[in-house]
Amino acid sequence: MKEDIHKPVYVTQPSMPPLEEFTEYLKLIWESKQLTNNGRFHQELEKELCNYLGVKFISLFSNGTLALITALQSLRVTGEVITTPFSFVATTHALWWNGIKPVFADIEPEFYNLNPDKIEAAITPQTTAILPVHVYGNPCNVDKIQKIADTYGLKIIYDACHAFGVKSNNNSIMNFGDLSVLSFHATKVYTTIEGGAIVCHDEITKKRIDFLKNFGFAGETTVVAPGINAKMNEVQAAFGLLQLKYVDTYIEKRKDIARIYREELKDVKGIKILHDIEGVRHNYSYFPILVDINKYGISRDELYAILKKENIYTRRYFYPLISEFPSYKGLSSAAQSNLPVAEMVAQQVLCLPIFPDLELNYVNKICSLLKEICNAK
Ligand SMILES: *Cc1c(COP(=O)(O)O)cnc(C)c1O
């Protein structure tokens, strides 16, 4: 195998649109001299994203983390928020930056999303909202979560950073809950280099979010709230307009890779893979596997190390759990006994390389290697 794989292969790599096409946008930016503050491309991108995603209102942000922080601000979420420990740290950090106490509830064992059956027991008089994550772009149980929120009068903000373009029965997954937050970071399926967005369902909320991301300015001399600066600039927006032309092709290429992984790995003992859900349009943002040491023969960490030696850089998304980091470890809900499923998945999960430019023969090589390692045990 060593001779075959020379170039390092990373878990992801952004797809670059044709440079000539980007310079056309740059020329227009140079001519207009408008670099930011709701410029032409910013406005165009909001419109095009609403169309593409099938949502009513979207506000662009400089990154997903500031969008999460602002989403919580815009609904005046306070007190305690129930969330998942199985996510990227920014999910919980957004609560911390708002002075909100995170309350971790366990995930379900099928798709590793927040388990709706664990939410009610975590509700206290201080609870004001639920912050679930559509992990790997697989939709949460949105109906069950909505029912709980309605019963207890809670807001729902979805961290949809993995879920760009995901639809359930032809309806954008972003149309559920009160707000959905997207990230357009370079490592995501759709990117504006750095960037993010909040999807909301009415014009008044959209206006409030737009005030909040621009220092609270409602007019030249009117400041209506203590806002922050989280605006997307024109270069990011132009890059986003260009990426939008290609994103369906990117997702198709990801799907081809997922198909090979699934076909090749389906009979490997001790490797669990996730399958597509009927009625869902997936985006194939990640390809996670679970490695069961007892059946596969070696641990996830040993496999990670062996692949790294072969120049294949997988990632342990998400390990450690957010609840294991020093800022959150002291919370009673962070106790391992409260999060058994999340603990198990965090010990076993490994995300394999998946990105549009990944050559299919590399995918086959990675699969052969995974089989060889198993058979050698
Ligand atoms: C990427 C990501 C974020 C943060 O987004 P940035 O644009 O990098 O700030 C938050 N939550 C999840 C689940 C993510 O994957």
Side-chain angles (χ1 to χ4, degrees):
M1 288 310 294
K2 272 224 171 67
E3 300 76 45
D4 291 331
I5 295 177
H6 292 288
K7 280 186 294 183
V9 181
Y10 298 102
V11 73
T12 192
Q13 178 185 290
S15 292
M16 303 304 283
L19 183 58
E20 318 81 70
E21 291 186 33
F22 191 49
T23 51
E24 290 306 310
Y25 284 94
L26 290 180
K27 277 182 199 156
L28 294 170
I29 293 174
W30 255 246
E31 277 165 25
S32 75
K33 299 189 170 55
Q34 178 158 18
L35 295 176
T36 186
N37 287 4
N38 198 26
R40 169 186 165 182
F41 292 139
H42 184 285
Q43 291 175 33
E44 272 181 37
L45 185 57
E46 285 196 344
K47 230 180 264 157
E48 297 223 354
L49 281 173
C50 280
N51 282 338
Y52 179 84
L53 296 171
V55 300
K56 282 214 182 89
F57 298 96
I58 196 164
S59 295
L60 298 176
F61 276 76
S62 49
N63 62 61
T65 304
L66 281 167
L68 271 172
I69 290 170
T70 308
L72 292 157
Q73 280 274 319
S74 72
L75 298 182
R76 290 197 148 272
V77 175
T78 56
E80 295 179 4
V81 169
I82 296 163
T83 190
T84 169
F86 192 70
S87 181
F88 181 60
V89 281
T91 310
T92 309
H93 283 351
L95 297 171
W96 197 96
W97 276 72
N98 276 292
I100 296 164
K101 182 179 168 187
V103 176
F104 297 109
D106 206 2
I107 58 174
E108 38 80 15
E110 207 178 348
F111 293 102
Y112 322 137
N113 286 323
L114 186 61
N115 187 341
D117 298 335
K118 302 289 176 191
I119 293 174
E120 276 187 282
I123 296 172
T124 76
Q126 280 71 49
T127 311
T128 61
I130 307 167
L131 177 58
V133 182
H134 302 297
V135 178
Y136 308 131
N138 290 314
C140 292
N141 190 332
V142 289
D143 294 334
K144 257 192 174 172
I145 294 173
Q146 188 64 56
K147 245 189 206 143
I148 297 166
D150 290 344
T151 305
Y152 291 88
L154 306 175
K155 301 276 193 230
I156 307 168
I157 297 174
Y158 281 106
D159 179 335
C161 289
H162 292 180
F164 184 88
V166 172
K167 290 186 174 180
S168 183
N169 298 318
N170 241 347
N171 183 14
S172 171
I173 201 68
M174 251 85 18
N175 286 325
F176 295 91
D178 294 280
L179 300 173
S180 289
V181 176
L182 288 160
S183 165
F184 305 147
H185 185 257
T187 53
K188 309 295 205 263
V189 165
Y190 168 78
T191 176
T192 61
I193 307 169
E194 292 266 2
I198 301 177
V199 169
C200 66
H201 316 309
D202 65 274
E203 201 159 5
I204 296 171
T205 307
K206 151 95 172 141
K207 221 175 200 172
R208 188 160 66 246
I209 291 166
D210 285 345
F211 292 154
L212 284 173
K213 75 172 183 189
N214 187 28
F215 312 98
F217 275 110
E220 209 179 305
T221 53
T222 319
V223 171
V224 294
I228 198 151
N229 179 5
K231 301 185 299 289
M232 178 180 281
N233 68 50
E234 285 293 276
V235 178
Q236 286 172 289
F239 195 80
L241 282 166
L242 191 48
Q243 286 288 44
L244 202 51
K245 293 188 193 168
Y246 295 98
V247 72
D248 281 334
T249 324
Y250 296 162
I251 291 173
E252 277 308 306
K253 286 188 178 170
R254 288 173 173 275
K255 189 177 180 176
D256 291 340
I257 293 167
R259 201 180 288 133
I260 295 178
Y261 275 137
R262 282 173 182 162
E263 184 55 33
E264 293 295 318
L265 299 179
K266 68 174 192 284
D267 295 327
V268 180
K269 276 191 309 261
I271 287 187
K272 188 187 162 195
I273 51 183
L274 297 184
H275 288 282
D276 282 358
I277 305 163
E278 220 186 289
V280 171
R281 190 252 187 169
H282 291 272
N283 66 8
Y284 308 96
S285 45
Y286 299 88
F287 198 88
I289 59 170
L290 292 199
V291 183
D292 179 348
I293 181 171
N294 295 318
K295 294 186 190 139
Y296 188 67
I298 60 168
S299 72
R300 183 273 315 270
D301 287 338
E302 286 173 285
L303 178 59
Y304 167 84
I306 292 172
L307 293 173
K308 197 167 163 181
K309 270 204 203 114
E310 300 282 348
N311 253 348
I312 300 161
Y313 293 84
T314 59
R315 291 299 294 266
R316 287 163 285 187
Y317 291 143
F318 293 99
Y319 163 85
L321 295 175
I322 303 177
S323 47
E324 292 294 318
F325 292 119
S327 327
Y328 309 114
K329 211 176 164 48
L331 296 167
S332 59
S333 66
Q336 293 193 356
S337 55
N338 185 45
L339 309 166
V341 180
E343 284 292 336
M344 183 274 287
V345 178
Q347 289 304 323
Q348 297 195 356
V349 73
L350 194 65
C351 284
L352 302 180
I354 188 165
F355 52 88
D357 297 331
L358 179 59
E359 290 163 38
L360 299 184
N361 66 328
Y362 268 52
V363 181
N364 279 308
K365 279 176 195 166
I366 295 168
C367 293
S368 310
L369 199 50
L370 287 170
K371 287 189 236 179
E372 262 176 44
I373 295 165
C374 176
N375 291 335
K377 292 288 143 181

